[in-house]
Amino acid sequence: QVQLVESGGGLVQAGGSLRLSCAASGRTFYSMAWFRQAPGKEREFVAAITWSGGTTFYADSVKGRFTISRDSAKNEMALQMNSLKPEDTAVFYCAAAGTYSPFYYMSKWYDYWGQGTQVTVSS
C-alpha cells in the first residue's frame, strides 16, 4: 500500500523559514512534487523532482526561495522554504507519479497524494 506522509508545517512570521518533509512507502516513483492550495483557490504547483536524476522544477513564484530535494536511501522528499511571504499561506501536499510525463506541473498527472500540512505565514 502506497503512503505519503507530510510533516513540518506550522506558523511562521514573514521572512522566516520552514522545512517540509514527505515520507514515501509502498513503491518507488518516477518523480515527486509539492502542490499547495490556499483558501478559495485552486491547487497549484510548487516544485517537482525526478527520483533518479534529481532534476528539479519550480513555480516562478517560489524560485530562489524554495528548494526541493530527495533522499533516495530514505525514500523521503523535502521542501526547504525560505523568505516566506503571507501569500505562501496554504495547505501543502506531497504528490508522487509512477511514470514520466512532461506535464509535471499538472496535478492530474500524479497518482498518489499525502494528506496535506498547513503552512501559515503571518505578516
Side-chain angles (χ1 to χ4, degrees), residues 26-97:
R27 62 163 290 176
T28 57
F29 307 102
Y30 179 83
S31 64
M32 295 184 72
W34 291 96
F35 286 76
R36 66 186 181 186
Q37 187 166 19
K41 294 188 177 182
E42 292 188 353
R43 190 169 297 189
E44 66 173 2
F45 171 75
V46 175
I49 187 166
T50 60
W51 210 248
S52 59
T55 302
T56 58
F57 307 89
Y58 295 95
D60 288 343
S61 59
V62 306
K63 278 181 183 175
R65 300 189 299 123
F66 292 9
T67 302
I68 190 171
S69 62
R70 90 275 190 243
D71 185 330
S72 299
K74 295 182 179 180
N75 222 24
E76 290 183 356
M77 175 180 65
L79 185 69
Q80 178 65 41
M81 305 186 293
N82 299 328
S83 302
L84 282 161
K85 305 175 181 179
E87 50 264 44
D88 293 317
T89 295
V91 176
F92 281 69
Y93 296 91
C94 168

